Amino acid sequence: MQPEDLVRDHTVYSCVMGSRAFGLATEASDTDRRGVFLAPTALFWRFEKPPTHVEGPDEERFSWELERFCELALRGNPNILECLHSPLVERVDDTGRELLSLRGAFLSRRVYGTFTRYALGQRRKLDADVRTTGAPRWKHAMHLLRLLISCRDLLRTGELRIDVGDAREPLLAVKRGEVPWAEVEARMARLGAETDAALRHTPLPPEPDHARVADFLFRVRRASALASPPRR
């Protein structure tokens, strides 16, 4: 079975991500699609295992095999968690709906470390741009602010919301380069301090619910095996 066949025939969940999901799209924005496919269990009984992810077959599309997706979500990977919370769902079956019902099981205080490490990596790139060109990449600065807002609010409320809502226009002003870099830096510092404070009182549990996710994965793998016996 070809990788593109797994995406075409076995996708359980797909959504639109990027600026369109964040509420930051403009006329020039691309449409980034992300998805999760369930590789038939029988494929794992061969020497050559199914891929953990597939790029394509369409442009701007990237999909993960369900187990890999769950592993990354349990680690608090920001991109994966945001994918689970996209308001723009394009395709979902019964397995995908159960995956979405587990969104809370993946959330824990680990997000503080994963989100802030990712943010620090992006900040270092922005600082390097400022040193070499005198200005940051404003689009990247906007998305870093968005990520910091998302992390702060997740720690405060225990819920991940990725649409920026009322923050849309202030963030787009940053993207257009209308906000001085010093002010953007000040906003980042303030959001960082607010995130640190939110961690001290967060309703999130210390760890994600591994057992609940493992039970889900076992059941869907078993159902797939019973539905598709291996070929001789």
Side-chain angles (χ1 to χ4, degrees), residues 124-143:
R124 284 193 288 269
K125 293 178 182 178
L126 290 171
D127 288 339
D129 289 337
V130 172
R131 287 194 300 270
T132 56
T133 68
R137 298 181 186 180
W138 293 109
K139 179 180 178 179
H140 293 182
M142 175 193 71
H143 281 296

Side-chain angles (χ1 to χ4, degrees), residues 8 10 23 42 80 89 93 97 117 128 133 146 159-160 177 202 225:
R8 186 186 65 244
H10 298 283
I80 299 293
V89 176
D93 65 5
R97 277 185 282 273
R117 282 194 297 272
T133 68
R146 181 206 62 78
E159 297 181 2
L160 180 57
T202 183

